[in-house]
Amino acid sequence: MSIVNFPAWRRGWRVCRIRGTGRGRRHGLVSVLLTAACAVLAGARSYVAIGQWVRHAPQDTLYHLGFHPHGPLGVRRPASPSTVRRVLIQVCPGGLADLLGHNPAGTESVAVDGKNARGSGTDNGPAAHLLSAVTAAGRTVSQIRVPDKTNEITAFTALLDPFDLTGTRVTADALHTQHEHAKWLVEAKNAHYLMIVKGNQPNLHTAIKALPWKEVTARRYDRARGHGRRETRSVRTLTVTDLGLDFPHVVQAVKILRHRTDAKTGRVTRQTVHAITDMTAREASPQLIGRIARAHWGIEAVHHVRDTTFAEDASKIRTGHGPANMATLRNLAISTLRDAGHHHIAAGLREVSYTPFTRPLDLLGLSLTCDAA
């Protein structure tokens, strides 16, 4: 979906104004945000790079971004780099992430996981920790910053609450295997959960490990090659409704065994993962469970791209909401490039950079309208 089709762009956000530099020029808030989004899509990694992009933007690009003409010649002047910086520092990160995120309605699963923006730490405060929700297709739904001196557990419901998750399977690592999270997903959001169980839930973990897994007949085997390794996965599921496990709505327990062989060295590693779900055997076969579990690791792929392609961990953006909002713009760039058919994000960014003042607008649907301001 083009971001100019979001109702919020055309309602409350459109009428906001940010005062520019020196002579008090006024720019539409949406125009400033779209400027930053296009610059990041063209490969900008910092405020300085965004400023360079906007300084060189031609009049036609500024027209489609919604900047107004001034003077007898109708020259369009963009927001200054300092104005763009102030907007990204001050604008609400949760609202921006919700606005630019992918609608999860109808998606098979949504994964929740966190990431540190390591370079954003200062002597007086920790690095920004960002909790994200990502679909199985690798599109970011939303993202929020976890408040300092807390952890991801406190931000879980706030991240997902704005969205319709009816029928969606929400996956999370062991940190979020919490009674309250499971009850909230099933009872308040009409969603399903698949949660990893580890030592932070010792009694539950011990009980699941002790189940008669060797006798289980409901199982699925898969083999795959990629990333320099061969992998064999087995997924076993067992209905546990009559076993008295102390966890809300739990119906099935899951055991996933992975064997990985390094193609170069021949080294073999083995990993066993236990999980629980509220889905019945009819609702979730071992094949479906295996697919959802693999999709969960897709969120790590998004984080990896932000680190390697956008150099997020090396970024020294620290002030205000800047770290969270820049991460949101990177998420938007990744989702937009994937929607355009780019499986390799770095290659996609290079292609966009060849026509930096037209291709980002095409990808975001801005070349079809000038009604952004």
Side-chain angles (χ1 to χ4, degrees), residues 284-340:
S285 65
Q287 181 179 6
L288 178 62
I289 292 289
R291 187 167 70 243
I292 295 172
R294 289 195 304 275
H296 178 79
W297 312 126
I299 194 170
E300 296 184 359
V302 174
H303 294 166
H304 178 72
V305 170
R306 279 167 38 189
D307 283 341
T308 57
T309 303
F310 291 96
E312 181 169 281
D313 278 352
S315 173
K316 297 303 180 183
I317 293 174
R318 297 168 175 170
T319 307
H321 300 311
N325 286 328
M326 282 297 293
T328 291
L329 294 177
R330 295 176 190 122
N331 289 334
L332 173 65
I334 294 169
S335 295
T336 301
L337 289 171
R338 284 179 172 165
D339 286 342

Side-chain angles (χ1 to χ4, degrees), residues 245-297:
L245 293 183
D246 182 22
F247 202 84
H249 304 289
V250 63
V251 175
Q252 288 195 95
V254 181
K255 181 177 181 179
I256 302 173
L257 181 61
R258 299 189 183 99
H259 288 275
R260 291 174 177 171
T261 303
D262 189 288
K264 290 185 178 180
T265 65
R267 181 170 176 261
V268 177
T269 58
R270 182 174 181 240
Q271 181 186 30
T272 301
V273 177
H274 294 94
I276 52 174
T277 179
D278 69 303
M279 294 180 285
T280 66
R282 285 177 174 265
E283 293 172 320
S285 65
Q287 181 179 6
L288 178 62
I289 292 289
R291 187 167 70 243
I292 295 172
R294 289 195 304 275
H296 178 79
W297 312 126

Side-chain angles (χ1 to χ4, degrees), residues 8 31 37 51 65 109 146 148 154 185 188 200 203 224-225 236 244 247 249 281 286 320 343 347 352:
S31 295
L65 289 173
S109 63
V146 177
D148 296 342
T154 62
L185 285 171
N200 62 321
N203 294 334
R225 290 173 177 265
R236 305 181 187 189
F247 202 84
H249 304 289
H343 300 292
V352 174

